[in-house]
Amino acid sequence: MIRPQALLCPKPEGLYCAPGDFFIDPVRPVARAVITHGHADHARAGHGAVLATPQTLGIMAERYGEGFAEARQAAAYGEAVARDDVEVTLVPAGHVLGSAQAVVRWRGLTMVVSGDYKRRRDPTCPPFEPVACDVFISEATFGLPVFRHPDDAEEVRKLLRSVRQFPERSHIVGAYALGKAQRIIALLREAGWERPIYVHGALERLNRLYEGHGIDLGPLEPATSSAKKADFAGQIIVAPPGALADRWSRRFPDPVAAFASGWMRVRARARQRGVELPLVISDHADWDELTATIDEIRPGELWITHGREEALARWAELHGVPARALALVGYEEEDDD
């Protein structure tokens, strides 16, 4: 019986695969890296060679420039890639465009690194695919029972009700530039909002990248398209979260500050950010989704990389799945980069 630690083990740089000599989502430059998705806490520049989905490689090039790594290799979902005698396959994680779980196989042992993931439908990326494995290595960003995310569509309807209630005001939705912003826009389109959505300049390049991969975001306009405050009355603006408290927001008429994040479940966080309209929409699995995923996969072992590790490990143990917390550092609580 091969010990899982012989295939993947935690190091200061991140999870290391000794038989294949590569790291998964390393937090500092390494010779060979497998990258699960394009958020900055998982996808850093400066590696020698990078293996990722074509979408993630495109995101990294957009954010860091074409020279973000010495070499790159694209792997489509389901395509097996050999690293020495280790096989690596990327399967959808449902987190953001191009996000993947890394399925690592060696000598009959299968370990799955989830990266960041969610289980609910997202119109901007393929859904999470569960993979049978000996060891499932999961995040636990929202790994506490208090975190149970409401229905995404209902949160968007809450936003639209506020727009109807306050037609003289603008609504600025704080949303992370990669993934969340595009998902909010797509959900608004599904809810019937056909008017132009105004976007902060920091979102424009990633919006174009999403559209280049076939994600229809509908009519978008720069949030600087008019100098008159009155022109933005009754309109929706999507911007990075930091813009909510920035001088930039003063160009809009009496803006309603909204913020789309799983952390908006915590009222104190909403108050700290001055958020008038919290929208509990997350790109991470909540407690019920985390536990349901473990129950569905039923791995031989559960390893937890980052987040609320202790509670999820305890739940797994009580349900017959041996678990351990890896306590990896360098990964943010959510995808705010």
Side-chain angles (χ1 to χ4, degrees):
M1 178 68 70
I2 300 173
R3 296 175 65 249
Q5 293 85 346
L7 178 56
L8 289 174
C9 65
K11 288 195 171 186
E13 298 91 335
L15 275 174
Y16 178 60
C17 177
D21 189 24
F22 62 84
F23 287 85
I24 299 176
D25 291 349
V27 297
R28 62 186 70 169
V30 299
R32 296 205 292 188
V34 174
I35 303 298
T36 62
H37 66 281
H39 281 133
D41 58 335
H42 290 255
R44 291 169 166 83
H47 303 308
V50 168
L51 171 70
T53 63
Q55 298 91 335
T56 294
L57 293 175
I59 289 166
M60 294 180 73
E62 187 65 55
R63 300 189 122 186
Y64 303 129
E66 291 294 336
F68 68 85
E70 294 176 19
R72 65 182 87 171
Q73 181 177 357
Y77 289 133
E79 177 185 352
V81 177
R83 284 284 183 263
D84 297 331
D85 61 343
V86 175
E87 180 185 280
V88 179
T89 307
L90 302 178
V91 300
H95 180 55
V96 297
L97 180 70
S99 62
Q101 305 168 78
V103 182
V104 184
R105 295 185 173 97
W106 179 62
R107 298 183 181 178
L109 178 67
T110 300
M111 302 179 72
V112 175
V113 182
S114 73
D116 290 338
Y117 71 100
K118 66 175 178 292
R119 296 304 306 267
R120 59 189 62 197
R121 176 185 169 275
D122 182 340
T124 68
C125 66
F128 177 97
E129 292 183 8
V131 177
C133 56
D134 301 291
V135 180
F136 183 55
I137 304 176
S138 175
E139 63 137 319
T141 301
F142 291 105
L144 289 174
V146 68
F147 292 114
R148 288 181 163 95
H149 305 325
D151 178 66
D152 304 337
E154 178 53 37
E155 294 298 284
V156 170
R157 285 192 289 269
K158 183 196 302 182
L159 170 61
L160 294 178
R161 284 195 296 270
S162 183
V163 173
R164 291 193 297 271
Q165 186 177 0
F166 302 107
E168 74 284 1
R169 303 176 70 182
S170 61
H171 282 66
I172 305 178
V173 182
Y176 306 127
L178 171 58
K180 187 67 66 63
Q182 296 77 26
R183 183 177 170 207
I184 290 295
I185 293 168
L187 289 172
L188 282 165
R189 298 308 184 197
E190 289 188 342
W193 185 266
E194 298 178 350
R195 294 155 64 181
I197 295 173
Y198 295 87
V199 297
H200 190 283
L203 308 182
E204 291 179 0
R205 291 188 303 165
L206 287 171
N207 287 344
R208 286 196 300 269
L209 186 148
Y210 265 66
E211 290 178 321
H213 284 281
I215 308 299
D216 184 10
L217 300 177
L220 304 176
E221 296 287 343
T224 54
S225 60
S226 174
K228 299 179 181 178
K229 279 190 176 184
D231 290 343
F232 293 102
Q235 303 296 340
I236 297 174
I237 302 102
V238 181
L244 295 177
D246 192 75
R247 289 180 58 188
W248 176 89
S249 66
R250 299 177 189 174
R251 71 183 68 212
F252 306 108
D254 192 17
V256 174
F259 184 23
S261 169
W263 295 111
M264 291 299 96
R265 172 66 76 186
V266 182
R267 293 181 180 179
R269 292 209 180 199
R271 288 195 298 268
Q272 288 167 3
R273 285 182 173 264
V275 174
E276 183 175 349
L277 182 63
L279 303 173
V280 185
I281 301 176
S282 176
D283 284 331
H284 294 260
D286 67 6
W287 173 259
D288 289 335
E289 292 163 342
L290 289 166
T291 56
T293 300
I294 298 164
D295 203 38
E296 179 180 9
I297 295 173
R298 298 301 298 180
E301 293 184 34
L302 173 70
W303 295 2
I304 306 167
T305 56
H306 60 283
R308 274 68 191 162
E309 300 163 323
E310 294 81 4
L312 191 60
R314 179 61 176 160
W315 182 93
E317 293 280 0
L318 290 173
H319 289 78
V321 179
R324 59 178 292 212
L326 300 184
L328 296 181
V329 298
Y331 303 102
E332 301 300 327
E333 288 188 323
E334 204 178 17
D335 40 6
D336 187 0
D337 56 354

